[in-house]
Amino acid sequence: MIKKKKMTVLCAVCAMLAFLAAFAAAEPAEAKQKAAWNYKKTLTKTSGAFTYHAYPSKKGKEAWIYKIDIQKKKKPASISIPKKIDGRKVTRIGSKATDPQGEGGVNLFGACIEREHDYSRRAVTNKTIKKIVIPDTVEEIQPSSFCGMIALKSIKIPKKVKALKEETFYACAGLEEVSLPAGLEKLDPAAFQDCPSLKKMGLPKKNKIFRMEGDCVISKKLQKVIYTLPGGQTLSIPEGVKSIGKYALNNCTAPRVEIPASVTEIEGEAFHRPLLGPNTFIKDVAVSADSRTYAKDGQCVYHKLDQSLAVAIPDEKGVLYISEKVESLTNTHSLVNCDANKGAEKVVFPKTLKSVIVPSFSISTIFRNVYFLGETPPRVTNHISGYASLPIFTHVYVPASSEELYRAWYTENHCSVNDVEWHIFQPGSEI
């Protein structure tokens, strides 16, 4: 009995230590920034057409350039960010007033960015700067720093930068070439989102984390595609790749994507643009006939093991028939060839669909008409508070003999039957 009580106390102590460790690890980056930087003091330096504003570090040896002003009526073609301000080494650049996971952020030139509503194109700060020189003293670049620099042609990332974060070069429409450092450890797939002209990405072979093969940036350890360049008619994922990461193909403009037999995982939203929905350029996705993991049937790529949907491809009219090979929706799917803002015509779920994990039905939110062919609704699990488990604010079509069953299904899954327009059809009729 005593031994059991001691064991219980020991487990409680271990649990508390684990909690404290997790809490410390999850300390907000902003708190760490406040410990390092003096926000009450501002340094200023004017050089040519530019005025640089910076925070000094509390130790007084470093500077963080958080904003750059351009003199009115000036149309500079290039900018060289200074290595020092007031004798302090510039180690960080970018606004601290940015939140890529929220409503938006601010770039280095003071423009507001709201990627979720594609606001960057209306927040273009400068149409003339083609070249930006970032000094090698810089170790960290904030999210959104160079977003919307539409004339920018090329950029070299300093050798001390370890991570490229969300939106760093988002919507730099003219960006053609990027040189990455050998020490880069993290590349967010949204760092170069909406950069349709990006044709070359230089990455030293001695980089320990990533390698370039074809148009793909690949994690060496995981053999996972992290990011793909735009361009060409076909994007062929290299043989040997095991995984395609979330948002990896967000900047792909090739109409056709080919997946080799070596791929055993396609992460959810692999073909999506962060916050903006499906990739509209990709029209077709092919899978190697030798693949033991994935296969294609009709408009769908599905996982052979659990019969779950991986990629759905609506036609040019916005019509999507989910394959009868699909038995489950497991939050690991992507849509292509449709615009979330414009919407699509209809999606038809087969009678073979047996189970759905919330929020998998988000696949149907862009469709104006949703059809269920099964006489019995699929089982829905993983309900999320405040999130609709089933399609709402759309037209829902169900078998005539099962209307009451589907209405009850909506009630059981905490969705109002009044949030949809109900329709019935006769089994065997053309849909």
Side-chain angles (χ1 to χ4, degrees):
M1 184 70 177
I2 294 175
K3 186 180 290 186
K4 184 176 182 180
K5 184 178 290 186
K6 286 182 178 180
M7 183 60 70
T8 301
V9 172
L10 179 61
C11 290
V13 171
C14 291
M16 179 59 72
L17 290 174
F19 171 79
L20 291 174
F23 180 80
E27 181 185 3
E30 180 65 19
K32 294 180 180 179
Q33 291 176 12
K34 288 181 178 179
W37 300 97
N38 182 2
Y39 296 140
K40 295 181 179 180
K41 183 177 181 179
T42 301
L43 308 174
T44 303
K45 178 178 180 177
T46 298
S47 177
F50 306 100
T51 297
Y52 303 90
H53 304 274
Y55 299 117
S57 65
K58 289 187 175 180
K59 292 184 179 180
K61 296 182 179 182
E62 301 176 18
W64 170 1
I65 295 177
Y66 65 88
K67 187 181 179 185
I68 302 174
D69 291 328
I70 305 175
Q71 291 182 20
K72 292 182 179 180
K73 297 184 180 180
K74 295 286 186 178
K75 297 182 179 180
S78 64
I79 178 174
S80 294
I81 296 173
K83 292 182 178 181
K84 291 185 177 182
I85 290 185
D86 197 22
R88 295 170 172 85
K89 182 171 63 173
V90 175
T91 59
R92 189 172 190 157
I93 58 175
S95 173
K96 75 181 183 71
T98 189
D99 180 18
Q101 299 303 324
E103 284 297 312
V106 179
N107 72 9
L108 251 178
F109 300 88
C112 293
I113 311 303
E114 195 177 1
R115 181 172 39 149
E116 188 169 7
H117 299 103
D118 206 16
Y119 184 67
S120 63
R121 296 199 180 283
R122 288 174 282 155
V124 174
T125 302
N126 183 276
K127 298 180 180 180
T128 62
I129 295 177
K130 297 181 180 181
K131 183 179 181 181
I132 298 174
V133 178
I134 307 173
D136 279 340
T137 56
V138 171
E139 300 175 7
E140 188 166 355
I141 302 175
Q142 288 286 94
S144 307
S145 288
F146 301 102
C147 176
M149 303 295 290
I150 61 173
L152 183 64
K153 294 295 183 183
S154 63
I155 192 75
K156 180 180 180 181
I157 307 301
K159 60 184 178 181
K160 292 182 181 179
V161 172
K162 301 293 184 184
L164 282 178
K165 303 172 184 177
E166 309 96 325
E167 299 183 342
T168 305
F169 295 94
Y170 171 54
C172 289
L175 185 61
E176 298 176 353
E177 185 174 349
V178 173
S179 179
L180 302 176
L184 189 70
E185 297 176 356
K186 179 182 178 182
L187 175 62
D188 190 285
F192 296 98
Q193 182 180 344
D194 201 6
C195 293
S197 302
L198 186 55
K199 300 296 188 292
K200 184 178 180 181
M201 185 170 280
L203 180 66
K205 291 184 178 180
K206 61 181 180 181
N207 184 286
K208 296 180 180 180
I209 308 299
F210 304 112
R211 65 183 176 89
M212 285 290 304
E213 185 172 346
D215 289 331
C216 300
V217 180
I218 301 168
S219 165
K220 289 182 176 180
K221 181 179 180 180
L222 301 176
Q223 289 300 305
K224 176 193 289 189
V225 174
I226 304 298
Y227 180 80
T228 59
L229 294 175
Q233 290 300 306
T234 300
L235 172 68
S236 297
I237 303 297
E239 184 64 48
V241 165
K242 296 179 179 179
S243 176
I244 303 175
K246 184 176 182 178
Y247 302 141
L249 284 83
N250 78 80
N251 204 35
C252 174
T253 58
R256 178 180 171 86
V257 175
E258 296 178 343
I259 300 174
S262 59
V263 170
T264 57
E265 180 186 34
I266 302 174
E267 293 186 0
E269 299 183 310
F271 292 75
H272 285 202
R273 302 172 298 159
L275 299 179
L276 293 177
N279 185 311
T280 59
F281 293 98
I282 300 173
K283 309 297 182 184
D284 186 32
V285 179
V287 181
S288 170
D290 296 326
S291 175
R292 297 182 178 181
T293 307
Y294 292 99
K296 185 178 180 183
D297 183 65
Q299 295 175 276
C300 297
V301 174
Y302 66 95
H303 197 291
K304 291 182 177 181
L305 181 62
D306 61 5
Q307 305 296 111
S308 63
L309 180 66
V311 186
I313 313 162
D315 64 21
E316 295 301 318
K317 295 181 179 179
V319 175
L320 171 63
Y321 289 88
I322 302 297
S323 165
E324 290 190 350
K325 298 288 186 179
V326 173
E327 296 183 3
S328 64
L329 302 180
T330 60
N331 296 328
T332 58
H333 55 257
S334 298
L335 279 174
V336 297
N337 194 36
C338 56
D339 190 326
N341 292 321
K342 294 180 180 179
E345 184 58 30
K346 71 177 179 182
V347 57
V348 180
F349 292 104
K351 62 179 68 175
T352 54
L353 185 63
K354 298 177 181 178
S355 63
V356 178
I357 298 176
V358 176
S360 289
F361 269 132
S362 61
I363 191 175
S364 62
T365 57
I366 68 171
F367 291 93
R368 289 178 282 274
N369 301 283
V370 179
Y371 288 77
F372 291 100
L373 300 188
E375 294 185 1
T376 302
R379 180 170 55 90
V380 178
T381 58
N382 189 43
H383 294 88
I384 301 172
S385 178
Y387 197 100
S389 302
L390 304 176
I392 59 174
F393 307 129
T394 187
H395 291 261
V396 171
Y397 296 76
V398 299
S401 60
S402 302
E403 181 180 3
E404 292 306 315
L405 194 59
Y406 274 91
R407 285 177 177 267
W409 182 55
Y410 266 72
T411 301
E412 291 167 3
N413 286 282
H414 316 293
C415 292
S416 173
V417 295
N418 297 320
D419 286 338
V420 302
E421 290 288 337
W422 289 91
H423 305 270
I424 60 173
F425 63 88
Q426 296 296 332
S429 61
E430 184 176 350
I431 294 174

